[in-house]
Amino acid sequence: MPRGRLRVYLGAAPGVGKTYAMLCEGRRAMARGRDVVVGYVETHGRARTAELLDGMEVVPRRTLVHRGAEFTELDVDAVVARRPRVALVDELAHTNVPGSRNAKRWQDVDELLDAGIDVVSTVNIQHLESLNDVVRDITGVPQRETVPDEVVRRADQVELVDMSPEALRRRMAHGNVYAPEKVDAALSNYFRVGNLTVLRELALLWVAGKVDEQLDRYRADHGIEGTWEARERVVVALTGGPEGDTLVRRAARIAGRTKGADLLALHVTTGDGLTGADPAHLARQRTLVESMGGTYHQVVGDDVPRALLDFARGVNATQLVLGASRRGRFAQLLSPGVGVTTTALSGPIDVHMITHERASKGRRPSRSGAALTRRRRLLGWAMTALGLPVLTAVLHGLRDTLGLPSQILLFQMWVIAVALVGGLWPAMGAAVGGFLLLNYFFTNPYRTLLVSDPEALLALMVFVVVAAAVSAIVDVAARRTREAARAGADAELLSTLAGHVLRGDSALPSLLGRLRETFGLSSVTLLERAGEPTPDDQAQPEAWHIVATSGGRPATCPGVADTDVAVDDRLVLAARGRLLDAADRRVLEAFAAEAAVALRQERLREQAARAEPLAEADRMRTALLAAVSHDLRTPLASAKAAVESLRGTEIDWSPEDRAELLATADESLTTLDRLVANLLDMSRLQAGALGLSLQPVALDEVVPLAVDELGPLARRVEDTISFELPEVLTDPALLERILVNLVSNAVRYSPPAEKVLVTASSHGEQVQIRVVDRGPGVPRDAHDRMFLPFQRLGDRDNHTGPGLGLALSRGLAEAMGGTLVPDETPGGGLTMVLTLPACLPPPPPEVP
């Protein structure tokens, strides 16, 4: 069954119209005759959005009970059983109620896609995992519901629902987003123009990156090599020379002229490895490029200009920065050089030739004369074809002056010259040709291939043997030099890419991407067997699943790949684009092993992440036992001593003494009861088994009860809770517990002459309760640490309990859908801010 297609509407903020656009798309699909159902849509009370649901089939939601409250979620089984062609599922990043089959809604959507159902969904930019902390730092509002970026990147279509900050604020002011009583708070907090502008920029940049990926895949699938100037990309070529720093800075300035331009540095290692690159220079230049926001790349290619242009076209570069040649003037006359050749072949890519202090000053030759390139072999054959006739003509004119031995030595010298330039076969051709020419023109009888003098015949035979021997020696030396140079190039490549992984980059995707760039492949894919091996599973896509891929259309099984390397019984690295030679395949095998290691490390990290909550629970139990050993014993010992004294008959207690002992026992047992309750609640929180009874609660009723529980300390508390505040959705008993903990802490650390202030205010869909003290406060770097269980920030007296109050309070707040964060009191002190969801009245019915 083919997998369904996913379409995502991405917005910068709530209210831009994602759900509206999704429903409009659903109605358009219905008008085209497609079977469309609404799996889950949240209208948020917006009338125009709700109108679009009229006439659409809505699959009933699944009802779940969690901690005494009812919730509705997407019913995956019902949608799959209905088997529509398209399902509309809102809020992709939503966290499902505990007890659901999947923890996240995007996992529900994945099941629908596996069932062959197309899904249209929505998500806001602040819910993407990679941007969650960025949005929190900008807006000050943490987003607890996130979706992995890869889920949205894998979508077949991502459409941006865009709106300017001013237009969105006008929509809010007109009541089209939130209820009127929420508008002022929203506009002055999250929906400020600055916040919305940054969120819009993040959304635009993320979608631009997604479009780049789609463009690269399209160009690779269709074999398009030309440059499409959709976005400025500047590639700077580095040779490993000292001038590279100048080139990088100049390229960065060129890229900086266009906002959003990319900077890429490229070093070409030739197949023979004889580039003369200084590793120290390259390492420094790589660091310089990355510090400027660019990326460093390395490829292998014998033809440097073509390798540069192939890479530039592959990344859709628009500009190429090269350094002026370091070769001397004479060398430039003999060969045009990399810069001139690249410019001639560049086509639509702009080439910048940058001068530097070492330009035209020459450089120490780095290539060995023994490396037999194709060009040298052709030159050897040319020397054979042209040089032997010329030499024959010259010696024929001197036949009366020079004897046969001298003529043979001159031919021998020319054959050696051909061997040094062109290698074995051109030299062998020159030796055979020289033998024939010497025989025909310079031995009796002339102009025949007969030899009448035995000594002349011996001399000619020795000439051929010596020429062949010298040619073979030169060829072997050249091959050994070439192999050593290639080994050096491979070692340099392995070192560069291994360092890229070790520096902490995303190991597996980075490794495959670098490997694809290095060998000019269209795609590199790591495949894993889906089941047990079978004899003919190499050509069966259903027997494999893709672990990671880079590039265009991936290989779905080893049989469709141009080159495949088996890592072990279950993993295969499959490459598409071209066949690799034996030397390249050895490097590919090394990277296949490295990819397997990276995969295992990634899975080990995932296992460690899953084990972390268990380890945390174990640490909690250990700390719990340590706390119980002392903190339970103290009030228990006090109560026991008081009761035993009262039961004793040896002493006749006065009424005042008896009352004091009873008070001591009562106080100790009360402390013990509170401590045991805290320990049990903390254990339930850790186990996720805390029972909740969420209901609308008026703060002006709960706060006075919490303050009264403080007894005589209540006179040091002042509350300014207004009865006009909206009710909050909470468990009243647990909220009272939280407030008692917070207020008692505030009273304990406030100066005796200062009162603790308890106040509350409404902010959109939330209500904030603030407990303000004027005590010594807590350093900002210790704000998170103060919520750790059994943490007293250095205070270890015997009267403060086991340090569970704040940890329990935060846990209870989060269990009820709220937050508890500390803040600094202006003028000194600490303010604890408890945020809870507000119960807002439903919007009034519209007047027809």
Side-chain angles (χ1 to χ4, degrees):
M1 178 186 300
R3 181 177 167 87
R5 297 174 61 84
L6 174 62
R7 180 171 186 171
V8 176
Y9 285 95
L10 176 69
V16 296
K18 302 179 303 301
T19 304
Y20 189 89
M22 179 185 70
L23 290 172
C24 289
E25 173 63 23
R27 297 190 75 88
R28 285 193 295 269
M30 290 173 59
R32 294 193 297 268
R34 304 190 76 188
D35 184 12
V36 181
V37 301
V38 176
Y40 188 100
V41 166
E42 187 61 64
T43 64
H44 297 287
R46 296 163 191 164
R48 294 186 59 194
T49 303
E51 289 174 359
L52 293 177
L53 288 172
D54 293 342
M56 301 187 73
E57 179 182 352
V58 179
V59 176
R61 301 181 185 181
R62 182 185 179 194
T63 301
L64 298 169
V65 177
H66 177 62
R67 294 173 176 171
E70 288 190 353
F71 301 88
T72 59
E73 295 289 0
L74 170 68
D75 193 335
V76 179
D77 293 332
V79 176
V80 172
R82 170 62 178 74
R83 300 204 64 79
R85 190 68 190 88
V86 180
L88 308 183
V89 181
D90 207 3
E91 298 180 355
L92 189 63
H94 172 74
T95 300
N96 292 331
V97 174
S100 302
R101 180 164 60 199
N102 296 313
K104 294 284 190 176
R105 183 163 293 160
W106 63 262
Q107 295 170 320
D108 295 338
V109 168
D110 208 43
E111 287 193 27
L112 298 181
L113 296 172
D114 287 338
I117 300 172
D118 293 347
V119 177
V120 184
S121 189
T122 65
V123 71
N124 277 330
I125 193 67
Q126 68 265 27
H127 295 300
L128 295 181
E129 185 64 50
S130 65
L131 298 175
N132 184 257
D133 56 341
V134 177
V135 174
R136 181 198 60 207
D137 294 340
I138 293 170
T139 64
V141 179
Q143 301 292 334
R144 303 191 182 280
E145 295 184 327
T146 60
V147 58
D149 289 46
E150 187 60 28
V151 173
V152 185
R153 288 192 186 279
R154 287 201 306 263
D156 299 279
Q157 295 183 58
V158 176
E159 184 169 338
L160 179 66
V161 182
D162 189 31
M163 181 176 290
S164 68
E166 294 77 12
L168 180 55
R169 286 172 60 85
R170 284 196 300 271
R171 284 197 66 196
M172 295 197 64
H174 295 157
N176 295 330
V177 179
Y178 291 149
E181 61 271 15
K182 300 181 183 180
V183 171
D184 290 340
L187 291 175
S188 60
N189 288 279
Y190 189 86
F191 288 85
R192 296 193 298 270
V193 172
N195 287 355
L196 296 177
T197 302
V198 173
L199 292 172
R200 188 187 187 197
E201 182 179 20
L202 289 175
L204 290 169
L205 291 174
W206 195 94
V207 172
K210 169 70 175 175
V211 171
D212 279 343
E213 292 178 5
Q214 292 176 328
L215 179 60
D216 290 343
R217 188 177 302 114
Y218 179 86
R219 285 161 51 87
D221 291 344
H222 292 78
I224 299 173
E225 297 182 356
T227 300
W228 290 358
E229 298 184 16
R231 182 176 180 179
E232 290 290 338
R233 286 187 174 86
V234 181
V235 175
V236 53
L238 301 178
T239 63
E243 75 281 357
D245 295 14
T246 302
L247 300 183
V248 169
R249 293 188 176 93
R250 183 61 183 274
R253 290 197 295 273
I254 293 173
R257 294 170 187 166
T258 304
K259 186 173 180 60
D262 295 331
L263 174 64
L264 302 91
L266 176 66
H267 173 63
V268 179
T269 300
T270 55
D272 55 19
L274 303 173
T275 59
D278 187 331
H281 287 324
L282 283 177
R284 185 181 68 253
Q285 290 156 15
R286 175 175 190 157
T287 302
L288 179 62
V289 169
E290 292 175 348
S291 70
M292 295 180 175
T295 56
Y296 177 86
H297 307 264
Q298 184 166 324
V299 299
V300 175
D302 289 327
D303 191 334
V304 175
R306 292 193 179 276
L308 285 173
L309 292 172
D310 287 345
F311 176 85
R313 295 186 183 108
V315 299
N316 207 24
T318 55
Q319 303 186 63
L320 185 59
V321 177
L322 305 176
S325 177
R326 286 187 286 153
R327 301 182 309 149
R329 295 183 181 276
F330 181 72
Q332 294 182 40
L333 291 175
L334 296 178
S335 173
V338 172
V340 176
T341 306
T342 303
T343 303
L345 301 175
S346 62
I349 300 177
D350 297 335
V351 179
H352 303 265
M353 297 293 295
I354 308 300
T355 59
H356 49 87
E357 59 182 9
R358 293 182 176 269
S360 300
K361 291 187 177 180
R363 60 179 179 182
R364 184 177 60 190
S366 58
R367 289 184 176 271
S368 167
L372 299 182
T373 62
R374 182 173 179 270
R375 180 179 177 184
R376 286 185 54 185
R377 291 194 298 272
L378 292 175
L379 183 58
W381 284 112
M383 290 175 63
T384 299
L386 300 177
L388 288 180
V390 172
L391 181 61
T392 301
V394 172
L395 293 180
H396 192 271
L398 300 174
R399 190 170 58 182
D400 296 334
T401 304
L402 297 177
L404 182 61
S406 298
Q407 295 164 345
I408 290 176
L409 288 175
L410 290 174
F411 269 89
Q412 184 73 65
M413 182 185 69
W414 189 252
V415 172
I416 293 173
V418 172
L420 291 174
V421 173
L424 177 62
W425 295 110
M428 291 298 295
V432 173
F435 172 82
L436 296 175
L437 290 172
L438 283 168
N439 189 3
Y440 191 81
F441 288 104
F442 300 108
T443 59
N444 284 318
Y446 298 116
R447 299 186 182 279
T448 68
L449 295 179
L450 300 177
V451 180
S452 59
D453 186 357
E455 290 187 6
L457 179 61
L458 178 62
L460 290 176
M461 297 300 295
V462 171
F463 162 74
V464 174
V465 172
V466 172
V470 171
S471 302
I473 292 172
V474 170
D475 185 71
V476 169
R479 290 180 184 277
R480 294 292 182 266
T481 302
R482 190 175 181 83
E483 289 171 0
R486 180 56 186 261
D490 290 346
E492 180 184 353
L493 178 61
L494 289 169
S495 174
T496 300
L497 292 180
H500 178 79
V501 174
L502 290 174
R503 275 197 306 275
D505 298 324
S506 181
L508 193 53
S510 171
L511 198 65
L512 299 183
R514 294 287 173 160
L515 193 58
R516 178 180 60 83
E517 291 174 355
T518 298
F519 293 108
L521 301 168
S522 61
S523 70
V524 179
T525 306
L526 185 63
L527 299 170
E528 186 174 27
R529 290 186 192 275
E532 294 301 320
T534 59
D536 55 349
D537 64 359
Q538 295 294 306
Q540 296 178 355
E542 62 273 9
W544 303 84
H545 73 266
I546 297 174
V547 177
T549 186
S550 174
R553 187 163 55 93
T556 55
C557 62
V560 301
D562 295 313
T563 304
D564 64 277
V565 174
V567 182
D568 53 31
D569 291 340
R570 303 197 63 81
L571 293 175
V572 172
L573 189 67
R576 302 187 71 167
R578 65 183 179 90
L579 291 173
L580 299 181
D581 57 30
D584 290 339
R585 186 179 176 87
R586 286 196 297 270
V587 178
L588 191 67
E589 290 173 350
F591 277 101
E594 189 73 19
V597 172
L599 176 62
R600 294 188 186 100
Q601 290 177 342
E602 186 176 298
R603 289 178 174 174
L604 285 174
R605 284 193 296 270
E606 292 175 356
Q607 292 176 3
R610 289 194 296 268
E612 180 61 28
L614 298 178
E616 181 63 30
D618 186 64
R619 287 193 294 270
M620 172 66 67
R621 283 190 291 270
T622 302
L624 189 63
L625 293 174
V628 168
S629 65
H630 176 272
D631 295 290
L632 286 180
R633 186 181 303 147
T634 301
L636 185 61
S638 299
K640 183 178 179 181
V643 172
E644 287 180 349
S645 298
L646 290 171
R647 290 185 61 189
T649 58
E650 294 83 2
I651 301 176
D652 186 14
W653 300 102
S654 66
E656 293 80 7
D657 292 336
R658 183 178 296 276
E660 182 177 352
L661 289 172
L662 288 173
T664 300
D666 180 66
E667 181 181 349
S668 298
L669 291 174
T670 300
T671 301
L672 185 63
D673 178 69
R674 186 182 301 116
L675 179 57
V676 171
N678 283 345
L679 291 172
L680 291 176
D681 284 344
M682 181 58 72
S683 298
R684 294 190 187 102
L685 276 175
Q686 292 293 322
L690 182 68
L692 291 178
S693 177
L694 299 179
Q695 54 187 281
V697 175
L699 291 181
D700 59 329
E701 297 177 359
V702 176
V703 173
L705 294 177
V707 173
D708 290 342
E709 277 202 31
L710 299 179
L713 296 177
R715 64 178 182 273
R716 294 183 54 191
V717 180
E718 176 184 356
D719 76 85
T720 60
I721 306 299
S722 171
F723 69 90
E724 297 179 350
L725 286 171
E727 294 181 328
V728 295
L729 183 64
T730 184
D731 185 311
L734 296 183
L735 175 59
E736 188 175 336
R737 293 271 307 277
I738 295 173
L739 292 174
V740 169
N741 280 333
L742 297 180
V743 176
S744 62
N745 274 345
V747 170
R748 181 182 302 119
Y749 292 106
S750 290
E754 297 285 350
K755 283 194 172 185
V756 171
L757 176 64
V758 181
T759 183
S761 58
S762 175
H763 301 276
E765 297 181 354
Q766 298 175 331
V767 173
Q768 290 185 347
I769 306 170
R770 295 175 176 266
V771 179
V772 184
D773 69 53
R774 295 290 180 178
V778 176
R780 184 171 293 276
D781 58 359
H783 279 182
D784 287 336
R785 206 155 38 91
M786 66 190 293
F787 290 100
L788 296 177
F790 316 104
Q791 173 60 253
R792 302 190 185 96
L793 296 181
D795 178 12
R796 300 299 297 177
D797 63 73
N798 294 333
H799 306 287
T800 55
L804 279 174
L806 289 179
L808 180 61
S809 297
R810 170 173 276 189
L812 294 176
E814 292 178 349
M816 294 187 296
T819 60
L820 178 61
V821 295
D823 197 3
E824 295 179 352
T825 302
L830 183 70
T831 298
M832 301 300 295
V833 183
L834 174 63
T835 303
L836 294 171
C839 291
L840 299 174
E846 295 186 2
V847 178

